[in-house]
Amino acid sequence: MLCLTAGQAGILIWNSVSFQALCGIVYIYDKARLLRFWFGLKPIVLFFKPETVEVVLSSNALLEKTFVYEFLAPWFKQGLITSSGLKWKKRRRLLTPAFHFRILDNFLPVIDSHARYLADKLRGEVGSASFDLVPYITLCSLDILCETAMGKYVGAQKRDTPYVKALNAASHLFGTRFMKPWLWPEFIFSMTSEGRTFKECTNAMDAFTRSVIRERKTYIMSELKSGVGMEEAFSTDNFGAKRKKAFLDLLLSEHLSDPKFTEEDITEEVNTFMFAPNFLSKTTSS
């Protein structure tokens, strides 16, 4: 027998009602497949016609982000998710090679290691009447992200770290704020307990990211000064052991080649790519 808490039952009911409402909207507007409605004080345009979707997604002009991304601006500043226009194009051009399948293939051992640990943890739930899968998936994705994006092992699946706590809390508050239109204005949100907590979390994560960047840059610079080539310097960790080039290394390499790409820019992108996949894995697994 499946036992649900009051919170889980509420979420299940909400999702069921939302799904039914969405099905009704699709049925009513099936001919035009286009409608506008108001969510709080914001007009929302919903379209589900393939030809319309293609026009929007393939456009080089429609690059402005929706208002929701403004909620992340204090955290990501002008990272790839929150930037637009010329800056977004430059960042997109710079970062696209970092996700080439050959680079991602290099991290398969890292992904495999953390996935196997996840599988071992899930075996402990075998026989349970029910359990929440989301925390397991979230922590596994965090382990993978920290090691592939920052080259930093945090052991999120094994222990509760301040960075993991802050990231989970900030992600939750972002979703909570979206569902409460009265918290959309920044000046109101910043005065609430949620807003203050969000700021504390983002400051903590920002400080952690900056410390990792400084530590890695210091090591790379010391290696270069000793006569080691750039490729060789990036192929070892801060203790000299061989490792794969992390996302942070690719950004640092660009920074050392082009000083216009600053440490602030690196921080923006690392913070962005720590949040986005983690939030996506959490929402999709929910």
Side-chain angles (χ1 to χ4, degrees):
M1 181 179 178
L2 180 62
C3 298
L4 299 175
T5 64
Q8 290 172 331
I11 292 174
L12 181 61
I13 293 172
W14 170 258
N15 288 341
S16 299
V17 172
S18 299
F19 180 72
Q20 290 296 324
L22 183 61
C23 289
I25 290 172
V26 170
Y27 178 78
I28 294 171
Y29 292 92
D30 183 60
K31 186 175 181 179
R33 298 195 173 189
L34 177 71
L35 71 142
R36 185 196 69 182
F37 63 94
W38 289 83
F39 191 73
L41 300 176
K42 298 288 185 178
I44 306 295
V45 176
L46 177 65
F47 50 88
F48 43 96
K49 188 176 183 179
E51 292 79 5
T52 309
V53 175
E54 181 182 10
V55 170
V56 174
L57 294 183
S58 61
S59 172
N60 290 320
L62 301 174
L63 302 179
E64 293 296 324
K65 304 298 194 303
T66 180
F67 72 96
V68 177
Y69 290 89
E70 296 173 6
F71 301 165
L72 298 170
W75 184 3
F76 301 154
K77 309 299 189 295
Q78 286 295 305
L80 187 65
I81 284 183
T82 47
S83 61
S84 58
L86 184 59
K87 185 169 185 177
W88 178 85
K89 289 182 179 179
K90 288 183 177 179
R91 290 288 177 90
R92 177 68 183 270
R93 196 178 304 117
L94 168 66
L95 297 174
T96 296
F99 298 95
H100 191 280
F101 70 91
R102 289 179 182 173
I103 293 177
L104 297 178
D105 281 348
N106 290 333
F107 289 107
L108 284 179
V110 172
I111 297 171
D112 179 71
S113 173
H114 292 303
R116 287 178 182 275
Y117 189 85
L118 169 64
D120 290 338
K121 295 279 286 185
L122 292 178
R123 286 192 187 96
E125 297 289 357
V126 173
S128 301
S130 65
F131 69 95
D132 189 356
L133 179 64
V134 176
Y136 290 99
I137 300 296
T138 302
L139 293 177
C140 180
S141 68
L142 274 175
D143 269 340
I144 294 171
L145 282 168
C146 284
E147 204 159 343
T148 56
M150 293 193 286
K152 193 81 171 178
Y153 174 78
V154 296
Q157 297 184 88
K158 298 180 179 180
R159 61 183 183 274
D160 207 3
T161 66
Y163 182 84
V164 172
K165 283 183 178 179
L167 182 57
N168 284 332
S171 300
H172 173 73
L173 288 169
F174 168 72
T176 299
R177 185 181 182 185
F178 176 72
M179 298 304 296
K180 297 179 178 180
W182 58 91
L183 293 180
W184 289 355
E186 183 62 33
F187 77 94
I188 293 178
F189 182 67
S190 62
M191 292 188 293
T192 64
S193 59
E194 292 100 327
R196 290 190 291 272
T197 301
F198 184 79
K199 185 174 178 60
E200 290 172 2
C201 291
T202 55
N203 285 344
M205 288 184 290
D206 193 67
F208 176 79
T209 301
R210 290 176 187 275
S211 68
V212 172
I213 293 172
R214 285 194 299 269
E215 181 182 319
R216 184 61 175 162
K217 182 180 177 180
T218 299
Y219 172 79
I220 296 298
M221 294 301 293
S222 66
E223 288 292 286
L224 294 177
K225 288 179 180 178
S226 67
V228 175
M230 186 173 289
E231 281 300 317
E232 186 178 349
F234 278 112
S235 67
T236 58
D237 63 20
N238 295 353
F239 302 99
K242 291 291 183 181
R243 77 165 196 189
K244 300 299 182 183
K245 207 172 184 180
F247 179 64
L248 171 59
D249 292 331
L250 297 171
L251 297 177
L252 275 172
S253 179
E254 177 66 22
H255 166 62
L256 295 176
S257 302
D258 180 10
K260 291 181 180 179
F261 187 71
T262 65
E263 287 187 31
E264 188 67 28
D265 295 327
I266 297 174
T267 304
E268 290 174 355
E269 297 307 337
V270 172
N271 281 337
T272 295
F273 282 93
M274 284 303 301
F275 165 79
N278 175 63
F279 186 76
L280 181 62
S281 67
K282 183 180 294 186
T283 52
T284 52
S285 59
S286 296

